[in-house]
Amino acid sequence: MARVLVYCELLQGEPAPVSLEALTLARELGEVSAVVLDPEGERAAPALGRYGAGTVHLGADAAYRDYLGQPAAAALGALVQELDPDLVLLGATYDARDLAARVSARLQLTLLANATGVVPSGPGFAASSTIFGATQAVLTELRGRSPLVLLRPKSVSASPAGEVEARVLPLSLPPDAPRGPRRLESVVAAAAGPQLEEAKVVVSGGRGLQEASNFELVERLARLLHGAVGASRAVVDAGWTPYARQVGQTGKTVKPDLYIACGISGAMQHTVGMKGAKHIVAINRDPDAPIFKLADLGVVGDALKVVPELIAELERRGVSA
Ligand SMILES: Cc1cc2nc3c(=O)[nH]c(=O)nc-3n(C[C@H](O)[C@H](O)[C@H](O)COP(=O)(O)OP(=O)(O)OC[C@H]3O[C@@H](n4cnc5c(N)ncnc54)[C@H](O)[C@@H]3O)c2cc1C
């Protein structure tokens, strides 16, 4: 049976959603062990067991919190050398991208970034991803020992495996591990409402809103629906709203129950980040806009009229933010 090592991260003491997604995928591919490099990692071990990790290699050295990338790369590299897994899966977070690149360079291992899935292929594995600005889907055979794969968030739905108790094995920081740049301060962004990637409802705005001040309509509708605000790259580039809200190939991938696209054309680079939504509603004044090909409900009309009417109707029905 193939052995899959999953690098798991914590977000405010809890396993990051993308780590649980990676564990869920890993369960389909072989026997799963997890590695956590975080002083608070022990708290997360039971949850990692529930999502399929039989073993959790726990590095709790404060260096992982205090220094960027390098101590973690030394520890993960040493563990990969020792275990020689058939596959190493990491959720594609900013930190994991840095880490995977370092480990790949250090050990000369294959690295595939931005994967949307992994399947068995011959004696090894193949990973799916998109290329050429998300216009082509490809399946890439992973060659060499212990290939590293960065899994895009929301490519897989996380689901627990049952009440499995993970064996926790301490992992020490290699004595010669370099420290590198030190983290001086860590600030959690104050965010109102649900996180974009986890929200059940996402209301997104695009260039069809005509000008920055109209983006507020999208924010009001999202608040009323207790949802998160998303955006196309066009309006992020124009400075109407922060990059953290960008949905798509070079932004975030969302999988809400409801995605409302207001004045968004539906370019492939946008839809790759939201096509997994259960229900898609599109408001666009061009009946031929590509977004309508994906939409479950399409409203051909002026978003500057339709969105205020929607807001007024919700308020008339007593819905409040
Ligand atoms: C390498 C690469 C990566 C990219 N990554 C991303 C990404 O991550 N996310 C992303 O979004 N894009 C990305 N893009 C850009 C993408 O190709 C599109 O340019 C972008 O998504 C367009 O944004 P938009 O739909 O808001 O604007 P437009 O394409 O300008 O579309 C505006 C739409 O609004 C409609 N409209 C106009 N007025 C109104 C109105 N009053 N009411 C209703 N509808 C109206 C129009 O009919 C049109 O369909 C990327 C591009 C490249 C090359």
Side-chain angles (χ1 to χ4, degrees), residues 291-307:
I291 192 79
F292 287 132
K293 293 200 183 100
L294 278 183
D296 300 290
L297 177 69
V299 181
V300 179
D302 183 348
L304 302 178
K305 292 195 180 126
V306 177
V307 177

Side-chain angles (χ1 to χ4, degrees), residues 206-208 210 232-234 246-251 263-265 267 269-270 283-286 289 301-303:
R207 192 150 42 194
Q210 311 291 329
S232 72
R233 176 160 155 182
Q246 184 179 313
V247 171
Q249 186 199 343
T250 41
I264 292 179
S265 59
Q269 294 87 357
H270 183 82
I283 304 164
N284 195 305
R285 70 177 177 196
D286 173 6
D302 183 348

Side-chain angles (χ1 to χ4, degrees), residues 49-62:
R50 281 197 295 281
Y51 279 79
T55 306
V56 176
H57 300 273
L58 176 63
D61 201 292

Side-chain angles (χ1 to χ4, degrees), residues 90 99 150 171 246:
L90 309 91
L99 181 60
L150 284 158
L171 177 69
Q246 184 179 313

Side-chain angles (χ1 to χ4, degrees), residues 11-12 17 189 191-202 227-228 252 254:
L11 268 182
Q12 288 150 43
Q195 273 221 328
L196 181 55
E197 294 115 307
E198 310 307 327
K200 297 261 179 262
V201 176
V202 174
K252 292 186 172 146
V254 297

